[in-house]
PDB file of all heavy atoms in Angstrom:
ATOM      1  N   TYR B   9      10.240 -18.588   9.152  1.00  0.00           N
ATOM      2  CA  TYR B   9       9.116 -19.241   8.477  1.00  0.00           C
ATOM      3  C   TYR B   9       9.581 -20.353   7.544  1.00  0.00           C
ATOM      4  O   TYR B   9       8.863 -21.331   7.341  1.00  0.00           O
ATOM      5  CB  TYR B   9       8.266 -18.229   7.726  1.00  0.00           C
ATOM      6  CG  TYR B   9       7.445 -17.366   8.641  1.00  0.00           C
ATOM      7  CD1 TYR B   9       7.518 -15.988   8.593  1.00  0.00           C
ATOM      8  CD2 TYR B   9       6.594 -17.942   9.572  1.00  0.00           C
ATOM      9  CE1 TYR B   9       6.761 -15.208   9.442  1.00  0.00           C
ATOM     10  CE2 TYR B   9       5.838 -17.166  10.424  1.00  0.00           C
ATOM     11  CZ  TYR B   9       5.929 -15.799  10.352  1.00  0.00           C
ATOM     12  OH  TYR B   9       5.183 -15.037  11.190  1.00  0.00           O
ATOM     13  N   SER B  10      10.783 -20.214   6.963  1.00  0.00           N
ATOM     14  CA  SER B  10      11.310 -21.298   6.138  1.00  0.00           C
ATOM     15  C   SER B  10      11.562 -22.536   6.987  1.00  0.00           C
ATOM     16  O   SER B  10      11.320 -23.656   6.549  1.00  0.00           O
ATOM     17  CB  SER B  10      12.606 -20.867   5.450  1.00  0.00           C
ATOM     18  OG  SER B  10      12.345 -19.910   4.471  1.00  0.00           O
ATOM     19  N   SER B  11      12.055 -22.321   8.205  1.00  0.00           N
ATOM     20  CA  SER B  11      12.267 -23.445   9.119  1.00  0.00           C
ATOM     21  C   SER B  11      10.951 -24.076   9.531  1.00  0.00           C
ATOM     22  O   SER B  11      10.878 -25.268   9.790  1.00  0.00           O
ATOM     23  CB  SER B  11      13.012 -22.976  10.364  1.00  0.00           C
ATOM     24  OG  SER B  11      14.288 -22.513  10.014  1.00  0.00           O
ATOM     25  N   ALA B  12       9.913 -23.268   9.585  1.00  0.00           N
ATOM     26  CA  ALA B  12       8.604 -23.769  10.008  1.00  0.00           C
ATOM     27  C   ALA B  12       7.854 -24.471   8.893  1.00  0.00           C
ATOM     28  O   ALA B  12       6.934 -25.238   9.157  1.00  0.00           O
ATOM     29  CB  ALA B  12       7.751 -22.626  10.543  1.00  0.00           C
ATOM     30  N   SER B  13       8.248 -24.224   7.643  1.00  0.00           N
ATOM     31  CA  SER B  13       7.429 -24.743   6.541  1.00  0.00           C
ATOM     32  C   SER B  13       8.211 -25.563   5.534  1.00  0.00           C
ATOM     33  O   SER B  13       7.733 -25.772   4.423  1.00  0.00           O
ATOM     34  CB  SER B  13       6.770 -23.568   5.821  1.00  0.00           C
ATOM     35  OG  SER B  13       7.765 -22.764   5.223  1.00  0.00           O
ATOM     36  N   GLY B  14       9.392 -25.984   5.885  1.00  0.00           N
ATOM     37  CA  GLY B  14      10.156 -26.820   4.970  1.00  0.00           C
ATOM     38  C   GLY B  14      10.690 -26.065   3.762  1.00  0.00           C
ATOM     39  O   GLY B  14      10.743 -26.619   2.676  1.00  0.00           O
ATOM     40  N   GLY B  15      11.061 -24.814   3.938  1.00  0.00           N
ATOM     41  CA  GLY B  15      11.670 -24.057   2.854  1.00  0.00           C
ATOM     42  C   GLY B  15      10.755 -23.088   2.138  1.00  0.00           C
ATOM     43  O   GLY B  15      11.184 -22.344   1.279  1.00  0.00           O
ATOM     44  N   HIS B  16       9.486 -23.058   2.478  1.00  0.00           N
ATOM     45  CA  HIS B  16       8.541 -22.145   1.834  1.00  0.00           C
ATOM     46  C   HIS B  16       8.214 -21.001   2.792  1.00  0.00           C
ATOM     47  O   HIS B  16       7.062 -20.811   3.177  1.00  0.00           O
ATOM     48  CB  HIS B  16       7.265 -22.887   1.433  1.00  0.00           C
ATOM     49  CG  HIS B  16       7.531 -24.063   0.547  1.00  0.00           C
ATOM     50  ND1 HIS B  16       7.964 -23.920  -0.745  1.00  0.00           N
ATOM     51  CD2 HIS B  16       7.455 -25.390   0.785  1.00  0.00           C
ATOM     52  CE1 HIS B  16       8.132 -25.115  -1.274  1.00  0.00           C
ATOM     53  NE2 HIS B  16       7.834 -26.026  -0.370  1.00  0.00           N
ATOM     54  N   GLY B  17       9.236 -20.227   3.173  1.00  0.00           N
ATOM     55  CA  GLY B  17       9.082 -19.195   4.197  1.00  0.00           C
ATOM     56  C   GLY B  17       8.128 -18.088   3.833  1.00  0.00           C
ATOM     57  O   GLY B  17       7.328 -17.647   4.662  1.00  0.00           O
TER      58      GLY B  17
END
Side-chain angles (χ1 to χ4, degrees):
Y9 287 125
S10 290
S11 297
S13 64
H16 304 291

